[in-house]
Amino acid sequence: MTDISTSEKANHRFKLVAGPDAPQLARTLLSSVLIYWRLGHLVEDGKVVVSELVSNAAAAAPGREIWLGVDREEPRFASASGIRATRS
């Protein structure tokens, strides 16, 4: 299950379950956000970064929640913020 929380158009938070499907889901969610922000040119590089981060988090905390934050600080800058694993 994925819980999506959006506080503003520039900040997106996604709750994922650490497992084998988490990296693909994170890539899909990040791609959607970047395209929505008209930052499609960052999709391929962003998918590589988020896939590595989420894969590592999922391996370190199987079955736990992983929070992925995607923030847009300036019109042409996007960053993936901390990935945090929490106990259910």
Side-chain angles (χ1 to χ4, degrees), residues 33-55:
V33 169
L34 291 175
I35 290 167
Y36 175 76
W37 286 341
R38 301 182 196 278
L39 296 172
H41 61 284
L42 299 175
V43 167
E44 291 306 314
D45 289 338
K47 287 188 335 186
V48 171
V49 172
V50 80
S51 183
E52 184 68 21
L53 291 172
V54 172
S55 292

Side-chain angles (χ1 to χ4, degrees), residues 10-82:
N11 300 303
H12 297 271
R13 300 289 173 267
F14 303 100
K15 181 172 68 172
L16 311 170
V17 175
D21 297 331
Q24 176 60 47
L25 183 55
R27 288 190 298 270
T28 300
L29 293 168
L30 178 69
S31 298
S32 297
V33 169
L34 291 175
I35 290 167
Y36 175 76
W37 286 341
R38 301 182 196 278
L39 296 172
H41 61 284
L42 299 175
V43 167
E44 291 306 314
D45 289 338
K47 287 188 335 186
V48 171
V49 172
V50 80
S51 183
E52 184 68 21
L53 291 172
V54 172
S55 292
N56 290 342
R64 294 187 181 169
E65 294 175 351
I66 300 173
W67 283 91
L68 170 64
V70 184
D71 303 314
R72 182 173 146 187
E73 298 174 12
E74 298 176 14
R76 295 187 178 188
F77 180 78
S79 67
S81 61

Side-chain angles (χ1 to χ4, degrees), residues 1-22:
M1 180 173 95
T2 303
D3 179 31
I4 301 174
S5 171
T6 305
S7 58
E8 294 180 33
K9 288 183 182 177
N11 300 303
H12 297 271
R13 300 289 173 267
F14 303 100
K15 181 172 68 172
L16 311 170
V17 175
D21 297 331

